[in-house]
Amino acid sequence: MRILGIDPGVATIGFGLVEAERARSRLLRYGVITTPAGLPLSTRLYQISQDMNQLIEQFKPDEIAVEELFFSKNITTGIAVAHGRGVILLEAERSGVPVFEYTPMQVKQAVAGYGGADKRQVMLMTQRLLKMKEIPRPDDAADALAIAICHGRSATSLLNMERVFDPRRYDTR
C-alpha cells in the first residue's frame, strides 16, 4: 500500500511517501512544500491546494495520513496551520483517496514505541525503520514520514479487522 504522510502547515508542509506491507515500510519519496512569506494567506492556501493536488496526482497514493493539530503556545500560528490543514484535507477528499488522521502521541507511539518520545527519538527511529543513511531533513519531511509509518503500522496490522474481515466470504444466505 502506498501511503502519503502529510505534516500540515502554511509556510512548510512536509510530505513522505512510503510503501507499507505487514508493518514494514519502504521509503519512496519525501520533501516539503513551501509557500513564500509575505504573501496573503489566501494566496498561500491556494498554492498549498495546487501543490497537494499535484502530489496526489504524481504519487497516486492508496491512502493519505495527516497529523492532527496540537496547540501548544502560539494560538495565532495554530490557526494559520489549521487553515492549511483544512486545504490539505479538502484536496485529499476531492481526490477520492481515503484520509486517516493521527495525533502526535499516536505517531510517537507507533514509531518510537513511546507516546512521550521526543522529536529526536522519533527522527532516529524513522531513519532506522526506513533504512536511511541519515536522519531525514528538514524536520517537516521527517514528521511526514513518521506519520506515514504510523499509518502503515496501523493499516497493515492483522488486528485491523476492518481490512482483514471480508463479509462476502462469510455470507450464509
Side-chain angles (χ1 to χ4, degrees):
M1 167 185 354
R2 290 169 70 96
I3 302 165
L4 178 59
I6 301 290
D7 181 36
V10 171
T12 307
I13 299 93
F15 69 86
L17 184 69
V18 301
E19 182 83 32
E21 183 178 333
R22 298 278 177 156
R24 290 192 181 148
S25 297
R26 183 173 60 92
L27 174 65
L28 299 176
R29 295 279 303 269
Y30 70 97
V32 293
I33 295 169
T34 58
T35 63
L39 290 179
L41 179 60
S42 59
T43 305
R44 293 174 98 176
L45 295 175
Y46 180 75
Q47 183 177 338
I48 292 167
S49 170
Q50 298 300 304
D51 290 345
M52 277 301 302
N53 190 3
Q54 185 178 359
L55 281 179
I56 293 167
E57 284 185 19
Q58 180 182 348
F59 295 154
K60 297 183 181 3
D62 298 306
E63 297 179 350
I64 297 173
V66 181
E67 188 172 56
E68 290 184 3
L69 288 184
F70 173 75
F71 289 96
S72 58
K73 296 176 183 155
N74 190 339
I75 190 109
T76 305
T77 302
I79 291 170
V81 172
H83 288 309
R85 187 172 180 280
V87 169
I88 291 164
L89 294 174
L90 172 68
E91 287 305 322
E93 184 67 25
R94 187 177 290 162
S95 73
V97 177
V99 179
F100 299 83
E101 300 174 54
Y102 296 93
T103 65
M105 186 176 282
Q106 288 172 311
V107 174
K108 292 173 184 181
Q109 176 69 42
V111 174
Y114 170 57
D118 65 32
K119 190 166 197 67
R120 179 127 176 97
Q121 289 171 311
V122 174
M123 291 173 81
L124 284 168
M125 283 305 297
T126 298
Q127 175 190 4
R128 286 184 188 152
L129 292 169
L130 294 175
K131 298 176 175 69
M132 300 173 75
K133 292 181 183 188
E134 297 177 351
I135 291 175
R137 296 279 182 206
D139 291 358
D140 303 282
D143 291 346
L145 287 170
I147 294 159
I149 292 168
C150 172
H151 180 63
R153 290 182 158 206
S154 172
T156 61
S157 168
L158 290 177
L159 297 176
N160 189 338
M161 295 309 291
E162 291 174 10
R163 293 176 189 276
V164 175
F165 179 74
D166 182 356
R168 294 172 294 186
R169 291 177 50 198
Y170 302 97
D171 189 2
T172 57
R173 287 187 258 162

